[in-house]
Amino acid sequence: MYGTNRPKSALSLQQAVLAYREEYLVEHCFGHLKGKPLSLTPMYLEDDRRATGLTRLLSIGLRVLTLLEHVARSHLAKQGEKLPGLYAGNPTRSTSRPTTEAMLRAFKNIALSVVTVEGQIYHHIAPLSKLQRKILALLDLPASIYTSLAKDSLNPP
């Protein structure tokens, strides 16, 4: 049994069933707010404005996660490719539907080293792996967004 508040003239039975069946996609996205990526956990905030602000900020984060996933999956579909190397312990396993969390995990071990030797400051950033370069390309981001971190770390915003 399906129930809706939409009039029959605005939504056919078939449209209502299809909309209901895709509801899990929205629920899955809101699951990010409860899980690790964004972690909306119980906390005390002094007033409603702060709670509203935090919820809005996390909502923006959720939209960014969803957008990254959509862009990467769309590019893979358009290219007819799969992305290998996202799964720890199984580097040959590939997917055409990577999650944002899996793509972000691929960047877990990046490192920027800042060393001072005789008053001279040196910056070194670990080079990007093939997988990391592929993920940036899928997201239409140039590799320079990463490689410029060493130079830009001299003058943080």
Side-chain angles (χ1 to χ4, degrees):
M1 176 180 280
Y2 296 102
T4 180
N5 58 356
R6 299 288 301 228
K8 265 185 162 181
S9 59
L11 192 67
S12 71
L13 176 61
Q14 182 179 9
Q15 291 170 320
V17 170
L18 290 174
Y20 176 79
R21 287 183 181 169
E22 291 183 0
E23 184 179 285
Y24 77 93
L25 296 171
V26 175
E27 293 298 323
H28 174 75
C29 289
F30 281 108
H32 290 299
L33 290 174
K34 299 173 191 171
K36 280 202 175 207
L38 298 174
S39 296
L40 181 59
T41 56
M43 66 178 70
Y44 175 76
L45 296 172
E46 271 187 45
D47 61 41
D48 288 344
R49 287 186 6 249
R50 290 184 180 185
T52 300
L54 177 61
T55 304
R56 287 181 179 163
L57 183 62
L58 290 172
S59 175
I60 291 169
L62 176 60
R63 291 173 190 200
V64 170
L65 286 175
T66 305
L67 178 63
L68 291 174
E69 196 169 272
H70 173 75
V71 169
R73 289 176 176 187
S74 295
H75 279 92
L76 286 170
K78 192 184 323 177
Q79 297 165 1
E81 294 180 5
K82 291 186 174 190
L83 185 62
L86 285 180
Y87 301 99
N90 195 352
T92 58
R93 181 178 171 194
S94 60
T95 181
S96 60
R97 299 183 50 80
T99 64
T100 304
E101 292 87 348
M103 290 186 290
L104 289 174
R105 265 193 308 274
F107 290 89
K108 178 172 81 172
N109 295 321
I110 63 173
L112 170 65
S113 303
V114 180
V115 179
T116 304
V117 178
E118 296 178 6
Q120 185 72 15
I121 300 174
Y122 298 94
H123 292 82
H124 177 267
I125 193 160
L128 289 170
S129 69
K130 183 178 176 182
L131 173 61
Q132 292 165 337
R133 286 192 306 273
K134 176 68 175 175
I135 291 170
L136 290 176
L138 286 172
L139 299 174
D140 289 327
L141 296 171
S144 63
I145 198 169
Y146 172 78
T147 56
S148 65
L149 289 174
K151 178 183 59 148
D152 294 342
S153 68
L154 294 172
N155 303 309

